[in-house]
mmCIF file of all heavy atoms in Angstrom:
data_model
loop_
_atom_site.group_PDB
_atom_site.id
_atom_site.type_symbol
_atom_site.label_atom_id
_atom_site.label_comp_id
_atom_site.label_asym_id
_atom_site.label_seq_id
_atom_site.Cartn_x
_atom_site.Cartn_y
_atom_site.Cartn_z
ATOM 1 N N SER A 1 13.380 125.237 62.874
ATOM 2 C CA SER A 1 14.146 124.131 62.289
ATOM 3 C C SER A 1 13.227 122.905 61.874
ATOM 4 O O SER A 1 13.386 122.262 61.003
ATOM 5 C CB SER A 1 15.189 123.626 63.310
ATOM 6 O OG SER A 1 14.588 123.177 64.492
ATOM 7 N N SER A 2 11.996 122.755 62.571
ATOM 8 C CA SER A 2 11.172 121.792 62.027
ATOM 9 C C SER A 2 9.786 122.136 62.632
ATOM 10 O O SER A 2 9.701 122.684 63.774
ATOM 11 C CB SER A 2 11.510 120.357 62.548
ATOM 12 O OG SER A 2 11.401 120.207 63.849
ATOM 13 N N PRO A 3 8.712 122.005 61.913
ATOM 14 C CA PRO A 3 7.341 122.420 62.368
ATOM 15 C C PRO A 3 6.987 121.699 63.589
ATOM 16 O O PRO A 3 7.306 120.499 63.878
ATOM 17 C CB PRO A 3 6.477 122.013 61.275
ATOM 18 C CG PRO A 3 7.365 121.685 59.990
ATOM 19 C CD PRO A 3 8.704 121.306 60.600
ATOM 20 N N ILE A 4 6.305 122.427 64.536
ATOM 21 C CA ILE A 4 5.894 121.843 65.735
ATOM 22 C C ILE A 4 4.446 121.396 65.596
ATOM 23 O O ILE A 4 3.614 122.117 65.205
ATOM 24 C CB ILE A 4 6.006 122.935 66.858
ATOM 25 C CG1 ILE A 4 7.425 123.241 67.142
ATOM 26 C CG2 ILE A 4 5.290 122.377 68.158
ATOM 27 C CD1 ILE A 4 7.679 124.353 68.038
ATOM 28 N N SER A 5 4.174 120.078 66.016
ATOM 29 C CA SER A 5 2.978 119.521 65.906
ATOM 30 C C SER A 5 2.508 119.125 67.392
ATOM 31 O O SER A 5 3.288 118.402 68.001
ATOM 32 C CB SER A 5 2.840 118.287 65.031
ATOM 33 O OG SER A 5 3.169 118.617 63.696
ATOM 34 N N ILE A 6 1.363 119.506 67.741
ATOM 35 C CA ILE A 6 0.946 119.347 69.180
ATOM 36 C C ILE A 6 -0.276 118.372 69.224
ATOM 37 O O ILE A 6 -1.277 118.762 68.466
ATOM 38 C CB ILE A 6 0.572 120.599 69.819
ATOM 39 C CG1 ILE A 6 1.803 121.552 69.694
ATOM 40 C CG2 ILE A 6 0.106 120.481 71.260
ATOM 41 C CD1 ILE A 6 1.395 123.068 70.003
ATOM 42 N N ASN A 7 -0.131 117.284 69.958
ATOM 43 C CA ASN A 7 -1.256 116.385 70.071
ATOM 44 C C ASN A 7 -2.265 117.105 71.168
ATOM 45 O O ASN A 7 -1.909 117.381 72.142
ATOM 46 C CB ASN A 7 -0.817 115.054 70.690
ATOM 47 C CG ASN A 7 -0.106 114.174 69.652
ATOM 48 O OD1 ASN A 7 -0.373 114.230 68.419
ATOM 49 N ND2 ASN A 7 1.079 113.571 70.022
ATOM 50 N N THR A 8 -3.500 117.162 70.720
ATOM 51 C CA THR A 8 -4.652 117.725 71.420
ATOM 52 C C THR A 8 -5.757 116.645 71.510
ATOM 53 O O THR A 8 -5.844 115.769 70.689
ATOM 54 C CB THR A 8 -5.147 119.041 70.961
ATOM 55 O OG1 THR A 8 -5.944 118.738 69.779
ATOM 56 C CG2 THR A 8 -3.990 119.997 70.631
ATOM 57 N N PRO A 9 -6.699 116.900 72.461
ATOM 58 C CA PRO A 9 -7.847 115.942 72.491
ATOM 59 C C PRO A 9 -8.636 115.898 71.200
ATOM 60 O O PRO A 9 -9.327 115.037 70.834
ATOM 61 C CB PRO A 9 -8.620 116.502 73.575
ATOM 62 C CG PRO A 9 -7.643 117.127 74.421
ATOM 63 C CD PRO A 9 -6.646 117.671 73.574
ATOM 64 N N LYS A 10 -8.510 117.055 70.394
ATOM 65 C CA LYS A 10 -9.312 117.189 69.177
ATOM 66 C C LYS A 10 -8.437 116.870 67.969
ATOM 67 O O LYS A 10 -8.845 117.150 66.745
ATOM 68 C CB LYS A 10 -9.864 118.619 69.082
ATOM 69 C CG LYS A 10 -10.778 118.969 70.153
ATOM 70 C CD LYS A 10 -11.384 120.343 69.974
ATOM 71 C CE LYS A 10 -12.408 120.593 71.097
ATOM 72 N NZ LYS A 10 -12.963 121.914 70.986
ATOM 73 N N GLY A 11 -7.260 116.347 68.158
ATOM 74 C CA GLY A 11 -6.423 116.025 66.966
ATOM 75 C C GLY A 11 -5.071 116.657 67.120
ATOM 76 O O GLY A 11 -4.746 117.347 68.122
ATOM 77 N N VAL A 12 -4.334 116.637 66.011
ATOM 78 C CA VAL A 12 -3.004 117.234 66.013
ATOM 79 C C VAL A 12 -3.148 118.710 65.544
ATOM 80 O O VAL A 12 -3.803 119.021 64.531
ATOM 81 C CB VAL A 12 -2.120 116.531 64.960
ATOM 82 C CG1 VAL A 12 -0.807 117.242 64.770
ATOM 83 C CG2 VAL A 12 -1.814 115.082 65.439
ATOM 84 N N LEU A 13 -2.477 119.620 66.246
ATOM 85 C CA LEU A 13 -2.518 121.112 65.983
ATOM 86 C C LEU A 13 -1.107 121.400 65.522
ATOM 87 O O LEU A 13 -0.044 121.077 66.261
ATOM 88 C CB LEU A 13 -2.797 121.904 67.150
ATOM 89 C CG LEU A 13 -2.595 123.419 67.021
ATOM 90 C CD1 LEU A 13 -3.578 124.068 66.129
ATOM 91 C CD2 LEU A 13 -2.521 124.017 68.345
ATOM 92 N N LYS A 14 -0.967 121.939 64.318
ATOM 93 C CA LYS A 14 0.369 122.390 63.822
ATOM 94 C C LYS A 14 0.433 123.834 64.287
ATOM 95 O O LYS A 14 -0.373 124.642 63.972
ATOM 96 C CB LYS A 14 0.479 122.286 62.289
ATOM 97 C CG LYS A 14 0.328 120.794 61.917
ATOM 98 C CD LYS A 14 1.138 120.545 60.626
ATOM 99 C CE LYS A 14 1.011 119.189 60.059
ATOM 100 N NZ LYS A 14 1.801 118.260 60.861
ATOM 101 N N LEU A 15 1.544 124.101 65.087
ATOM 102 C CA LEU A 15 1.607 125.406 65.683
ATOM 103 C C LEU A 15 1.703 126.514 64.463
ATOM 104 O O LEU A 15 1.072 127.690 64.735
ATOM 105 C CB LEU A 15 2.904 125.525 66.463
ATOM 106 C CG LEU A 15 3.119 126.772 67.285
ATOM 107 C CD1 LEU A 15 1.934 126.872 68.343
ATOM 108 C CD2 LEU A 15 4.366 126.750 68.123
ATOM 109 N N ASP A 16 2.270 126.191 63.311
ATOM 110 C CA ASP A 16 2.360 127.276 62.260
ATOM 111 C C ASP A 16 0.978 127.591 61.753
ATOM 112 O O ASP A 16 0.657 128.585 61.101
ATOM 113 C CB ASP A 16 3.319 126.919 61.263
ATOM 114 C CG ASP A 16 3.062 125.666 60.416
ATOM 115 O OD1 ASP A 16 1.985 125.015 60.770
ATOM 116 O OD2 ASP A 16 3.830 125.276 59.578
ATOM 117 N N SER A 17 -0.048 126.722 62.081
ATOM 118 C CA SER A 17 -1.411 127.047 61.585
ATOM 119 C C SER A 17 -2.033 128.241 62.372
ATOM 120 O O SER A 17 -3.119 128.743 61.947
ATOM 121 C CB SER A 17 -2.455 125.861 61.736
ATOM 122 O OG SER A 17 -2.706 125.537 63.169
ATOM 123 N N LEU A 18 -1.309 128.656 63.483
ATOM 124 C CA LEU A 18 -1.871 129.748 64.209
ATOM 125 C C LEU A 18 -1.165 131.049 63.795
ATOM 126 O O LEU A 18 -1.392 132.093 64.411
ATOM 127 C CB LEU A 18 -1.562 129.466 65.742
ATOM 128 C CG LEU A 18 -2.293 128.259 66.356
ATOM 129 C CD1 LEU A 18 -1.887 128.143 67.800
ATOM 130 C CD2 LEU A 18 -3.886 128.424 66.206
ATOM 131 N N LYS A 19 -0.379 131.077 62.686
ATOM 132 C CA LYS A 19 0.137 132.320 62.285
ATOM 133 C C LYS A 19 -1.036 133.220 61.974
ATOM 134 O O LYS A 19 -2.061 132.876 61.540
ATOM 135 C CB LYS A 19 0.947 132.052 60.950
ATOM 136 C CG LYS A 19 2.318 131.572 61.308
ATOM 137 C CD LYS A 19 3.278 131.495 60.007
ATOM 138 C CE LYS A 19 4.557 130.957 60.380
ATOM 139 N NZ LYS A 19 5.425 130.715 59.295
ATOM 140 N N GLY A 20 -0.826 134.505 62.200
ATOM 141 C CA GLY A 20 -1.820 135.517 62.139
ATOM 142 C C GLY A 20 -2.416 135.799 63.560
ATOM 143 O O GLY A 20 -3.158 136.842 63.761
ATOM 144 N N GLN A 21 -2.126 134.968 64.549
ATOM 145 C CA GLN A 21 -2.514 135.200 65.957
ATOM 146 C C GLN A 21 -1.386 135.366 66.764
ATOM 147 O O GLN A 21 -0.270 134.967 66.470
ATOM 148 C CB GLN A 21 -3.342 134.000 66.468
ATOM 149 C CG GLN A 21 -4.634 133.692 65.600
ATOM 150 C CD GLN A 21 -5.437 132.592 66.295
ATOM 151 O OE1 GLN A 21 -5.820 132.699 67.340
ATOM 152 N NE2 GLN A 21 -5.653 131.558 65.498
ATOM 153 N N VAL A 22 -1.543 135.975 67.917
ATOM 154 C CA VAL A 22 -0.522 136.074 68.939
ATOM 155 C C VAL A 22 -0.778 134.822 69.872
ATOM 156 O O VAL A 22 -1.873 134.544 70.196
ATOM 157 C CB VAL A 22 -0.592 137.378 69.800
ATOM 158 C CG1 VAL A 22 0.335 137.368 70.934
ATOM 159 C CG2 VAL A 22 -0.380 138.622 68.859
ATOM 160 N N VAL A 23 0.306 134.062 70.163
ATOM 161 C CA VAL A 23 0.096 132.827 70.833
ATOM 162 C C VAL A 23 0.956 132.871 72.142
ATOM 163 O O VAL A 23 2.134 133.250 72.128
ATOM 164 C CB VAL A 23 0.534 131.612 69.967
ATOM 165 C CG1 VAL A 23 0.519 130.338 70.856
ATOM 166 C CG2 VAL A 23 -0.290 131.539 68.685
ATOM 167 N N TYR A 24 0.325 132.490 73.220
ATOM 168 C CA TYR A 24 1.112 132.242 74.495
ATOM 169 C C TYR A 24 1.136 130.762 74.710
ATOM 170 O O TYR A 24 0.221 130.054 74.871
ATOM 171 C CB TYR A 24 0.277 132.868 75.605
ATOM 172 C CG TYR A 24 1.020 132.909 76.884
ATOM 173 C CD1 TYR A 24 1.877 134.033 77.243
ATOM 174 C CD2 TYR A 24 0.979 131.886 77.844
ATOM 175 C CE1 TYR A 24 2.608 134.043 78.522
ATOM 176 C CE2 TYR A 24 1.707 131.869 79.071
ATOM 177 C CZ TYR A 24 2.481 133.031 79.352
ATOM 178 O OH TYR A 24 3.101 133.013 80.569
ATOM 179 N N LEU A 25 2.435 130.208 74.387
ATOM 180 C CA LEU A 25 2.632 128.865 74.440
ATOM 181 C C LEU A 25 3.265 128.458 75.861
ATOM 182 O O LEU A 25 4.420 129.021 76.235
ATOM 183 C CB LEU A 25 3.651 128.409 73.352
ATOM 184 C CG LEU A 25 3.922 126.906 73.203
ATOM 185 C CD1 LEU A 25 2.709 126.111 72.928
ATOM 186 C CD2 LEU A 25 5.031 126.715 72.178
ATOM 187 N N ASP A 26 2.488 127.699 76.610
ATOM 188 C CA ASP A 26 2.982 127.463 78.009
ATOM 189 C C ASP A 26 3.226 125.990 78.291
ATOM 190 O O ASP A 26 2.413 125.027 77.804
ATOM 191 C CB ASP A 26 1.785 127.907 78.873
ATOM 192 C CG ASP A 26 2.124 127.755 80.394
ATOM 193 O OD1 ASP A 26 2.976 128.488 80.865
ATOM 194 O OD2 ASP A 26 1.559 126.855 80.991
ATOM 195 N N PHE A 27 4.281 125.535 78.855
ATOM 196 C CA PHE A 27 4.609 124.159 79.117
ATOM 197 C C PHE A 27 4.372 123.977 80.655
ATOM 198 O O PHE A 27 4.808 124.762 81.492
ATOM 199 C CB PHE A 27 6.063 123.854 78.785
ATOM 200 C CG PHE A 27 6.243 123.755 77.369
ATOM 201 C CD1 PHE A 27 6.534 124.823 76.556
ATOM 202 C CD2 PHE A 27 6.201 122.527 76.666
ATOM 203 C CE1 PHE A 27 6.745 124.821 75.285
ATOM 204 C CE2 PHE A 27 6.374 122.426 75.322
ATOM 205 C CZ PHE A 27 6.624 123.551 74.582
ATOM 206 N N TRP A 28 3.678 122.935 80.960
ATOM 207 C CA TRP A 28 3.309 122.725 82.493
ATOM 208 C C TRP A 28 3.325 121.194 82.688
ATOM 209 O O TRP A 28 3.332 120.363 81.743
ATOM 210 C CB TRP A 28 1.902 123.321 82.699
ATOM 211 C CG TRP A 28 0.716 122.698 81.907
ATOM 212 C CD1 TRP A 28 0.403 122.890 80.627
ATOM 213 C CD2 TRP A 28 -0.128 121.599 82.359
ATOM 214 N NE1 TRP A 28 -0.706 122.039 80.229
ATOM 215 C CE2 TRP A 28 -1.022 121.326 81.319
ATOM 216 C CE3 TRP A 28 -0.370 121.052 83.624
ATOM 217 C CZ2 TRP A 28 -2.033 120.393 81.426
ATOM 218 C CZ3 TRP A 28 -1.390 120.058 83.794
ATOM 219 C CH2 TRP A 28 -2.204 119.707 82.654
ATOM 220 N N ALA A 29 3.220 120.905 84.112
ATOM 221 C CA ALA A 29 3.194 119.575 84.467
ATOM 222 C C ALA A 29 2.277 119.546 85.690
ATOM 223 O O ALA A 29 2.230 120.509 86.418
ATOM 224 C CB ALA A 29 4.526 118.974 84.752
ATOM 225 N N SER A 30 1.739 118.338 86.122
ATOM 226 C CA SER A 30 0.834 118.159 87.163
ATOM 227 C C SER A 30 1.518 118.493 88.467
ATOM 228 O O SER A 30 0.835 118.832 89.518
ATOM 229 C CB SER A 30 0.177 116.805 87.208
ATOM 230 O OG SER A 30 1.216 115.847 87.346
ATOM 231 N N TRP A 31 2.752 118.128 88.621
ATOM 232 C CA TRP A 31 3.502 118.292 89.863
ATOM 233 C C TRP A 31 4.022 119.814 90.094
ATOM 234 O O TRP A 31 4.591 120.106 91.113
ATOM 235 C CB TRP A 31 4.714 117.384 89.859
ATOM 236 C CG TRP A 31 5.485 117.484 88.665
ATOM 237 C CD1 TRP A 31 5.424 116.639 87.580
ATOM 238 C CD2 TRP A 31 6.624 118.507 88.335
ATOM 239 N NE1 TRP A 31 6.337 116.963 86.588
ATOM 240 C CE2 TRP A 31 7.053 118.099 87.107
ATOM 241 C CE3 TRP A 31 7.086 119.520 88.990
ATOM 242 C CZ2 TRP A 31 8.024 118.865 86.357
ATOM 243 C CZ3 TRP A 31 8.090 120.278 88.333
ATOM 244 C CH2 TRP A 31 8.532 119.872 87.012
ATOM 245 N N CYS A 32 3.772 120.643 89.117
ATOM 246 C CA CYS A 32 4.330 122.069 89.175
ATOM 247 C C CYS A 32 3.443 123.034 90.050
ATOM 248 O O CYS A 32 2.347 123.301 89.590
ATOM 249 C CB CYS A 32 4.500 122.535 87.714
ATOM 250 S SG CYS A 32 4.778 124.343 87.585
ATOM 251 N N ALA A 33 3.936 123.395 91.143
ATOM 252 C CA ALA A 33 3.117 124.293 92.050
ATOM 253 C C ALA A 33 2.839 125.668 91.301
ATOM 254 O O ALA A 33 1.620 126.119 91.492
ATOM 255 C CB ALA A 33 3.777 124.448 93.346
ATOM 256 N N PRO A 34 3.724 126.248 90.746
ATOM 257 C CA PRO A 34 3.426 127.580 90.006
ATOM 258 C C PRO A 34 2.469 127.392 88.941
ATOM 259 O O PRO A 34 1.703 128.312 88.624
ATOM 260 C CB PRO A 34 4.827 128.039 89.510
ATOM 261 C CG PRO A 34 5.789 127.363 90.306
ATOM 262 C CD PRO A 34 5.225 126.087 90.639
ATOM 263 N N CYS A 35 2.376 126.258 88.321
ATOM 264 C CA CYS A 35 1.344 125.945 87.224
ATOM 265 C C CYS A 35 -0.029 126.135 87.842
ATOM 266 O O CYS A 35 -0.863 126.716 87.171
ATOM 267 C CB CYS A 35 1.560 124.634 86.594
ATOM 268 S SG CYS A 35 3.113 124.410 85.755
ATOM 269 N N LYS A 36 -0.198 125.726 88.996
ATOM 270 C CA LYS A 36 -1.530 125.813 89.694
ATOM 271 C C LYS A 36 -1.947 127.198 89.841
ATOM 272 O O LYS A 36 -3.117 127.568 89.655
ATOM 273 C CB LYS A 36 -1.521 125.152 91.028
ATOM 274 C CG LYS A 36 -1.298 123.658 91.024
ATOM 275 C CD LYS A 36 -1.146 123.046 92.411
ATOM 276 C CE LYS A 36 -0.726 121.632 92.366
ATOM 277 N NZ LYS A 36 -0.464 121.029 93.622
ATOM 278 N N LYS A 37 -1.011 128.146 90.035
ATOM 279 C CA LYS A 37 -1.190 129.537 90.087
ATOM 280 C C LYS A 37 -1.400 130.211 88.789
ATOM 281 O O LYS A 37 -2.166 131.200 88.681
ATOM 282 C CB LYS A 37 -0.122 130.248 90.922
ATOM 283 C CG LYS A 37 -0.114 129.823 92.400
ATOM 284 C CD LYS A 37 1.138 130.508 93.042
ATOM 285 C CE LYS A 37 1.243 130.037 94.470
ATOM 286 N NZ LYS A 37 2.382 130.621 95.174
ATOM 287 N N SER A 38 -0.768 129.655 87.844
ATOM 288 C CA SER A 38 -0.845 130.350 86.545
ATOM 289 C C SER A 38 -2.042 130.055 85.686
ATOM 290 O O SER A 38 -2.551 130.873 84.932
ATOM 291 C CB SER A 38 0.344 129.887 85.647
ATOM 292 O OG SER A 38 0.249 128.552 85.237
ATOM 293 N N PHE A 39 -2.764 128.933 85.895
ATOM 294 C CA PHE A 39 -3.895 128.543 85.184
ATOM 295 C C PHE A 39 -5.075 129.536 85.205
ATOM 296 O O PHE A 39 -5.743 129.837 84.252
ATOM 297 C CB PHE A 39 -4.390 127.109 85.504
ATOM 298 C CG PHE A 39 -3.793 126.081 84.518
ATOM 299 C CD1 PHE A 39 -2.396 125.962 84.390
ATOM 300 C CD2 PHE A 39 -4.573 125.174 83.900
ATOM 301 C CE1 PHE A 39 -1.896 125.111 83.499
ATOM 302 C CE2 PHE A 39 -4.064 124.210 83.084
ATOM 303 C CZ PHE A 39 -2.687 124.151 82.864
ATOM 304 N N PRO A 40 -5.481 130.147 86.466
ATOM 305 C CA PRO A 40 -6.499 131.143 86.483
ATOM 306 C C PRO A 40 -6.128 132.368 85.601
ATOM 307 O O PRO A 40 -7.011 132.846 84.929
ATOM 308 C CB PRO A 40 -6.597 131.451 87.895
ATOM 309 C CG PRO A 40 -6.116 130.253 88.716
ATOM 310 C CD PRO A 40 -5.015 129.654 87.777
ATOM 311 N N TRP A 41 -4.830 132.726 85.666
ATOM 312 C CA TRP A 41 -4.425 133.889 84.769
ATOM 313 C C TRP A 41 -4.536 133.479 83.346
ATOM 314 O O TRP A 41 -5.022 134.302 82.485
ATOM 315 C CB TRP A 41 -3.024 134.321 85.198
ATOM 316 C CG TRP A 41 -2.476 135.455 84.232
ATOM 317 C CD1 TRP A 41 -3.026 136.718 84.276
ATOM 318 C CD2 TRP A 41 -1.565 135.299 83.320
ATOM 319 N NE1 TRP A 41 -2.245 137.535 83.345
ATOM 320 C CE2 TRP A 41 -1.416 136.677 82.686
ATOM 321 C CE3 TRP A 41 -0.665 134.366 82.835
ATOM 322 C CZ2 TRP A 41 -0.528 136.829 81.631
ATOM 323 C CZ3 TRP A 41 0.225 134.631 81.820
ATOM 324 C CH2 TRP A 41 0.315 135.819 81.252
ATOM 325 N N LEU A 42 -4.088 132.177 82.956
ATOM 326 C CA LEU A 42 -4.181 131.890 81.583
ATOM 327 C C LEU A 42 -5.661 131.807 81.015
ATOM 328 O O LEU A 42 -5.897 132.309 79.928
ATOM 329 C CB LEU A 42 -3.573 130.510 81.276
ATOM 330 C CG LEU A 42 -2.042 130.451 81.566
ATOM 331 C CD1 LEU A 42 -1.528 129.000 81.522
ATOM 332 C CD2 LEU A 42 -1.275 131.223 80.601
ATOM 333 N N ASN A 43 -6.626 131.410 81.968
ATOM 334 C CA ASN A 43 -7.945 131.451 81.609
ATOM 335 C C ASN A 43 -8.393 132.962 81.342
ATOM 336 O O ASN A 43 -9.139 133.261 80.372
ATOM 337 C CB ASN A 43 -8.878 130.863 82.744
ATOM 338 C CG ASN A 43 -8.750 129.353 82.721
ATOM 339 O OD1 ASN A 43 -8.710 128.701 81.723
ATOM 340 N ND2 ASN A 43 -8.870 128.766 83.895
#
């Protein structure tokens, strides 16, 4: 419905610029206990 733009330390990333790749888009927060477990796997 509208393009997704993500603020990153290197500037804005438009999600549609990653077309052609398979993307695992993950939402996380500092207080999230399962996120602590997921980061090693994401790496």
